[in-house]
Amino acid sequence: MSAVIVVGSQWGDEGKGKVIDFFSAQADFVVRYQGGANAGHTIVVDGKKTVLHLVPSGILHPKTKCIIANGVVLDVNSFAEEVRALKLTGYLKDSTQLMVSDAVSVILPYHRQLDQAREKALGADKIGTTGRGIGPAYEERAGRKAILFGDIFDDERLKEKLQSTLQEKNFLLEKFYGEKPIEIDEIIRNIKVLREELKPFRTADTSLVIHQALKAGKKVLFEGAQGTLLDLFHGTYPFVTSSSTIAGSACIGSGVGPCEIDKVIGITKAYATRVGEGPFPTELFNQTGDLLQHKGNEFGATTGRKRRCGWLDLVALRYAIRINGITHLAMMKLDVLSGMDEVGVCVAYELNGEVIREMPTSYALLSKVKPVIKMLSGWTDELEKITDIKDLPMNSRRYMDFINAETGLPIDMISVGPGREQTLWAKPLFS
Ligand code: IMP
């Protein structure tokens, strides 16, 4: 048992960074395989907070090697900044701890410019993207025009590819969005400044590194970014991100066969949140929603936007379990629910007068559903200091038993606070 995928089962921000950091102590490698600097993975160690956008969350464990694999879109400026910040705080002392695949697509300032111009032009119909250039970068990859990480170290190839792609981009920016065109020389100058800093992480074939590690019995964690319902193919389309965020994407993005995977850990918060636009059936527009937002400190780690909050949605969780093949559930932020008389949980939807238990895949239908909420008794005790699952208040255990009965999966990990030590895990991970 040596390959484990960690995925978000909601709309992102479930606490994947904390889970990866926790398990990284047991892992030899942590691999990021999709998404980009739209992610914001927060880790708190001894009260000190680190927010990672691109570097895998295993980096805080010096013996754990971290890989950014082919499926990621890497903003070179954000990446360089993150590396500098990590080094300043005493991490990443050895550059060989971090590897970036030569085949990763690079995000340059024009991707952000296009992302933001498009959102502006959409007005009220906007997606609510993070503005980090994710959509334009994946479009470029699919259009076979992407600048790859390896390209930035080859002057001639870089210039040739930039010239070809910028012709189109500038046409769009100037003629369609009425924005300023991009100067190729400025982009090349920017890359040349960063190149020496980025070079130590350059790795020709990260898939081979992972393959050899697995063959040698090393323990590999695959770190998902965003969440199931933001998946490009299976999420609440079109209000999704531009990559596939589900477990299968770990194989595609990192170049590992599906039979190598042993476990899939699905992360869910004890309630639900969403940033950006799009359907959110259990959203609360009342004081309880505000309470979850305040107590859970629900602000986006990347954009600082307020997260929309609501009750846990078991229709969506069952869907996530199915399409990811989740084998273990981890529940984060259970402590946020303490002090409520009652805690709600959505067990089904009502659609056109009918009760349904499966998630409609069309946006038009999902926008119309009404949640069927079951209220369970709450608990008053604060959970922050609890160190054993057995010591959790009875009603919080009933809440988890209810989720277990509704989803068919037990909750094997519970988080009761932001700190690394506030994590209760019932089983060995790699066994
Ligand atoms: P994009 O990924 O920036 O294109 O944004 C598309 C949608 O995904 C927007 O609703 C964003 O708010 C959402 N999104 C992207 N990354 C994250 C994340 O890491 N956490 C939560 N939401 C995200």
Side-chain angles (χ1 to χ4, degrees), residues 1 36 71 74 116 134 177 180 211 226 284 312 330 345 371 431:
M1 289 278 176
L74 187 96
Q116 290 163 18
I134 307 299
Y177 294 116
K180 264 185 22 201
H211 175 77
Q226 292 82 48
L284 291 164
L312 179 62
V345 57
S431 63

Side-chain angles (χ1 to χ4, degrees), residues 11-13 38-41 115 127-135 225-226 230 239-242 274-277 302 305:
W11 281 281
D13 309 317
N38 48 348
H41 293 168
D115 189 0
I127 301 293
T129 73
T130 58
R132 299 297 191 266
I134 307 299
Q226 292 82 48
L230 290 173
F239 297 95
V240 292
T241 189
S242 297
R274 173 165 204 166
V275 241
E277 311 303 317
T302 300
R305 287 179 292 179

